[in-house]
C-alpha cells in the first residue's frame, strides 16, 4: 500500500515558480506511475503531468514547456517544478499513483494525496 502527501503549494505572482513535492510511503512506490492533477471549483479535474516508474514523462498541452515532473525513488518523492506560472494555474494540486501511465490517464487511481493549494496572482 502506498500513501501520498503533497507539499509546496502557496501564493505566488504570475511569472513566478513553485516546486511541489509528493512524498510517498510504501515498498511498492518505485513500481508506480505518478500523476499530478489539479482541480478548480467549477471545473473538472485536469491531469497535468505523469511520470512512469522508469521516468518517462508526459504533460498536458496547457503546461508543456513550463512544468517539469520528476521522481527520486531513493527518497520516495515525486516533484512538480512549475515555472512561468499563470493565474489560470490556480488550483488544488493532487498527486496520484497508479499501476501504469495508461491507468493514471484513464483515472484508474490506486492512491490519492490530500492536495496542496496553488494560487497565482496577477
Amino acid at each position: 500500500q502506498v500513501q501520498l502527501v503533497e507539499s509546496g503549494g502557496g501564493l505566488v505572482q504570475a511569472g513566478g515558480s513553485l516546486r511541489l513535492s509528493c512524498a510517498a510511503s510504501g515498498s511498492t512506490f518505485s513500481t508506480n506511475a505518478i500523476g499530478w492533477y489539479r482541480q478548480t471549483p467549477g471545473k473538472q479535474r485536469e491531469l497535468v503531468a505523469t511520470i512512469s516508474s522508469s521516468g518517462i514523462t508526459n504533460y498536458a498541452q496547457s503546461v508543456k514547456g513550463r512544468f517539469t515532473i520528476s521522481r527520486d525513488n531513493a527518497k520516495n518523492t515525486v516533484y512538480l517544478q512549475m515555472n512561468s506560472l499563470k493565474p489560470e494555474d490556480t488550483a488544488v494540486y493532487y498527486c496520484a499513483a497508479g499501476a501504469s501511465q495508461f491507468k493514471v490517464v484513464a483515472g484508474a487511481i490506486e492512491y490519492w494525496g490530500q492536495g496542496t493549494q496553488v494560487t497565482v496572482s496577477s
Side-chain angles (χ1 to χ4, degrees):
Q1 186 169 300
V2 176
Q3 297 170 33
L4 309 173
V5 179
E6 302 98 329
S7 63
L11 176 64
V12 65
Q13 292 183 345
S17 298
L18 285 173
R19 188 185 71 167
L20 306 184
S21 298
C22 176
S25 62
S27 61
T28 190
F29 172 75
S30 64
T31 68
N32 285 104
I34 302 295
W36 281 98
Y37 287 83
R38 63 187 182 187
Q39 188 160 32
T40 302
K43 186 178 180 180
Q44 189 175 14
R45 182 161 50 212
E46 175 187 18
L47 180 60
V48 174
T50 61
I51 186 166
S52 73
S53 60
S54 62
I56 299 171
T57 60
N58 284 285
Y59 300 91
Q61 288 296 321
S62 59
V63 306
K64 209 162 193 174
R66 300 188 298 119
F67 290 11
T68 303
I69 188 172
S70 62
R71 69 191 298 161
D72 186 342
N73 287 337
K75 296 182 177 180
N76 288 342
T77 302
V78 172
Y79 304 96
L80 184 67
Q81 179 67 46
M82 305 185 295
N83 299 324
S84 301
L85 283 163
K86 305 174 181 179
E88 307 93 270
D89 296 319
T90 295
V92 177
Y93 284 72
Y94 301 86
C95 65
S100 71
Q101 286 183 307
F102 300 104
K103 291 188 178 296
V104 170
V105 170
I109 304 300
E110 296 183 8
Y111 311 103
W112 286 98
Q114 83 289 346
T116 185
Q117 176 71 47
V118 172
T119 302
V120 184
S121 65
S122 59

